[in-house]
Amino acid sequence: MGLPTFKGGIHPYEGKELSENKPIVLLEPKGEMVFPLSQHIGAPAKSLVAAGDKVLIGQKIGEMDGAISACIISSVSGTVKGIESRMTAGGSLVPSIIIENDGQEQTVESFGIKRDIETLTKEEIREIIKESGIVGLGGAGFPTCVKLSPREDAKIDTVIVNGAECEPYLTSDYRMMIEEPEKLIKGLQIILRLFENARGAIGIENNKPEAIKKLQELVKDEPRITIFPVKSKYPQGWEKTLIYSITGRRVGTNLLPAEVGCIVDNVDTVISIYEAVAECKPLIRRIITVTGDAIENPQNYNVRIGASYELLVEASGGFKAEPVKLISGGPMMGRALADTNIPVTRLSSALLCMADDEGTNDPVTSCIRCGRCVSVCPGRIVPQQMIIAAVHSDIDRYLKLNGTNCCECGSCSYICPARIPLTENFSMMNRKVYEVEKSGRRNQND
């Protein structure tokens, strides 16, 4: 019997050998730190500081400004220089708090104090997670306190830790499972305290045997947690495909995992929950993979949120070849960068530096109706038809085709022999749908 998996998907070159055996290196922050007020799904945070204010490590500098929002926490001590628009990896200018790091490493009074989690109520745990600024660190950035507060706790029967890390080249989650597995298990146990009827499942692709073995040993006497090896295939780490692989349940179009009894959190998110709840350490750092054939020394780093990507390049020995393309994230779902003068945010997962960009110069030709895009789509939708609606901005047709169920994984673009930029068009179309729906909600409220 084969390993659990899903229908569709692709097998791109993994590239993980460049950094998978490189232990996480701690990078000390220096110079100016930039904290965008929007580094999560939902409404931007509201600044709590102004130019001239002194701040400490662990201090909340941005407040949630809506039901779907997230706090911003300072990762350094220093002085606020001001609030101004800065470019982010997403390619947009975002209002950001600029802090001049004083290098003193002064923290708020409670920072790093051990806490007895056994005495905490569910409400207290959720409040700590909210005040710690934790969001989904797998890339989506959905506020974790909201995800862990479903309408009916009792209907959640499965809490899944996403340890698939299917995106090519990325190895930061793998290194955390290897180096801090105890924190991962304890973080999952904290989440399970919120859902008495749930069992924990850690899904890991079978190309990570050492992590599987290590975690299986740690949970052998833990009745509520099971390790689930799953087939290595992209995008196994999409929450809907991972839910299907582990539970056999399908999450329909526009449904949330909680509606089929599941909560899914990334490895780094779960470890961050442990650190916030048990160690009084809010989210001030990211574990980032710096890799690719253009970088001198591929490596995994523990870097403070707000630091520049330039610090990552410098720590890796600079470029050994002129990069043809820089990507924030992986090659399938990452964003191309014009330069490295952008801040590390909670949405940062990797810096991929490519000396060669295969396929860039291949001409786009007409669709030959081969159906490959349909066969690899994990969302069980029809890219061949969706692209017609997308190029004509036909929102009604796009919605009838369940286009919003596209996770923008890039599998269809990868497999397309005509080199049609399918995912790029679907991404733009999904944004148009969102703007139209937001405008409609606003009009209803007027």
Side-chain angles (χ1 to χ4, degrees):
M1 184 175 178
L3 289 168
T5 189
F6 60 97
K7 186 177 181 180
I10 57 176
H11 296 275
Y13 166 63
E14 293 183 351
K16 295 181 183 290
E17 72 280 355
L18 294 173
S19 61
E20 65 183 352
N21 294 318
K22 300 290 186 70
I24 298 168
V25 172
L26 179 65
L27 277 189
E28 297 297 337
K30 58 183 179 180
E32 182 181 271
M33 306 287 282
V34 179
F35 300 86
L37 289 169
S38 180
Q39 44 182 296
H40 51 265
I41 286 177
K46 180 172 61 177
S47 176
L48 296 175
V49 295
D53 287 354
K54 301 291 185 181
V55 297
L56 303 173
I57 295 173
Q59 179 178 331
K60 183 166 67 173
I61 57 177
E63 179 66 273
M64 288 178 66
D65 194 19
I68 307 296
S69 187
C71 300
I72 306 292
I73 311 297
S74 178
S75 63
V76 295
S77 59
T79 304
V80 177
K81 296 174 66 176
I83 300 174
E84 56 189 66
S85 294
R86 290 293 181 93
M87 185 66 69
T88 64
S92 57
L93 291 169
V94 176
S96 306
I97 298 171
I98 315 300
I99 296 176
E100 186 63 39
N101 176 20
D102 62 14
Q104 299 300 308
E105 294 290 285
Q106 295 177 304
T107 67
V108 296
E109 187 176 351
S110 61
F111 188 88
I113 295 176
K114 302 295 183 182
R115 182 188 278 126
D116 182 5
I117 61 175
E118 299 298 325
T119 65
L120 298 174
T121 65
K122 292 182 181 182
E123 292 72 22
E124 288 171 332
I125 291 173
R126 291 188 172 106
E127 183 66 16
I128 291 168
I129 293 169
K130 182 184 79 172
E131 290 297 304
S132 297
I134 299 174
V135 302
L137 300 178
F142 191 84
T144 302
C145 62
V146 179
K147 178 182 285 191
L148 297 181
S149 304
R151 292 179 182 176
E152 298 181 83
D153 290 1
K155 290 189 175 181
I156 302 300
D157 60 23
T158 309
V159 175
I160 298 174
V161 178
N162 186 347
E165 198 169 39
C166 61
E167 180 81 31
Y169 289 92
L170 274 61
T171 59
S172 54
D173 283 351
Y174 171 72
R175 289 311 313 175
M176 295 187 82
M177 287 188 283
I178 292 296
E179 297 180 40
E180 298 187 309
E182 294 85 2
K183 285 188 177 182
L184 178 62
I185 300 303
K186 291 177 181 178
L188 177 53
Q189 289 171 335
I190 289 172
I191 298 174
L192 290 174
R193 287 174 59 88
L194 303 176
F195 307 104
E196 292 97 338
N197 298 329
R199 294 176 58 85
I202 304 178
I204 311 175
E205 283 192 322
N206 67 319
N207 62 355
K208 306 173 181 64
E210 188 177 345
I212 292 171
K213 181 180 179 181
K214 187 170 291 240
L215 289 167
Q216 283 177 333
E217 179 64 24
L218 283 176
V219 303
K220 64 182 180 181
D221 298 320
E222 173 52 70
R224 293 183 68 191
I225 299 177
T226 304
I227 308 303
F228 274 85
V230 293
K231 186 175 181 179
S232 178
K233 181 169 60 170
Y234 181 85
Q236 185 69 261
W238 182 32
E239 64 179 9
K240 290 188 178 183
T241 55
L242 193 59
I243 288 171
Y244 178 76
S245 294
I246 290 177
T247 70
R249 302 170 194 169
R250 296 196 186 279
V251 184
T253 303
N254 298 326
L255 291 182
L256 297 173
E259 295 176 81
V260 296
C262 297
I263 297 287
V264 184
D265 275 314
N266 163 266
V267 164
D268 199 0
T269 307
V270 176
I271 290 176
S272 295
I273 287 172
Y274 168 77
E275 291 177 341
V277 176
E279 299 180 347
C280 292
K281 293 179 180 177
L283 182 56
I284 63 170
R285 58 97 188 117
R286 276 258 34 192
I287 309 300
I288 292 183
T289 302
V290 180
T291 188
D293 56 0
I295 199 74
E296 185 67 39
N297 297 306
Q299 187 61 264
N300 290 287
Y301 294 105
N302 179 328
V303 61
R304 302 279 181 91
I305 291 171
S308 173
Y309 274 48
E310 292 179 348
L311 178 65
L312 298 170
V313 174
E314 177 187 330
S316 298
F319 299 119
K320 65 179 181 181
E322 186 65 27
V324 171
K325 180 172 282 188
L326 297 171
I327 300 174
S328 178
M332 301 302 296
M333 296 189 71
R335 298 292 186 94
L337 302 175
D339 59 47
T340 54
N341 187 27
I342 59 169
V344 170
T345 71
R346 294 179 298 210
L347 302 180
S348 303
S349 59
L351 174 60
L352 179 57
C353 312
M354 306 299 291
D356 182 30
D357 186 17
E358 294 183 18
T360 298
N361 298 318
D362 291 348
V364 176
T365 60
S366 298
C367 174
I368 61 173
R369 298 181 179 276
C370 65
R372 295 181 188 178
C373 59
V374 180
S375 67
V376 302
C377 178
R380 302 170 68 84
I381 45 183
V382 189
Q384 178 191 1
Q385 295 297 315
M386 288 162 52
I387 190 63
I388 299 173
V391 297
H392 291 94
S393 295
D394 188 340
I395 290 179
D396 289 339
R397 184 177 182 183
Y398 188 79
L399 290 174
K400 287 179 181 178
L401 292 166
N402 293 324
T404 54
N405 201 42
C406 171
C407 65
E408 302 175 22
C409 68
S411 295
C412 55
S413 295
Y414 176 86
I415 207 70
C416 178
R419 291 292 184 261
I420 298 171
L422 297 163
T423 307
E424 180 181 337
N425 280 277
F426 300 154
S427 179
M428 291 189 291
M429 198 63 175
N430 286 337
R431 286 198 294 271
K432 287 180 183 178
V433 171
Y434 172 76
E435 291 300 327
V436 168
E437 291 179 344
K438 185 171 71 171
S439 176
R441 290 195 296 269
R442 185 181 297 114
N443 291 338
Q444 291 172 10
N445 293 330
D446 288 344

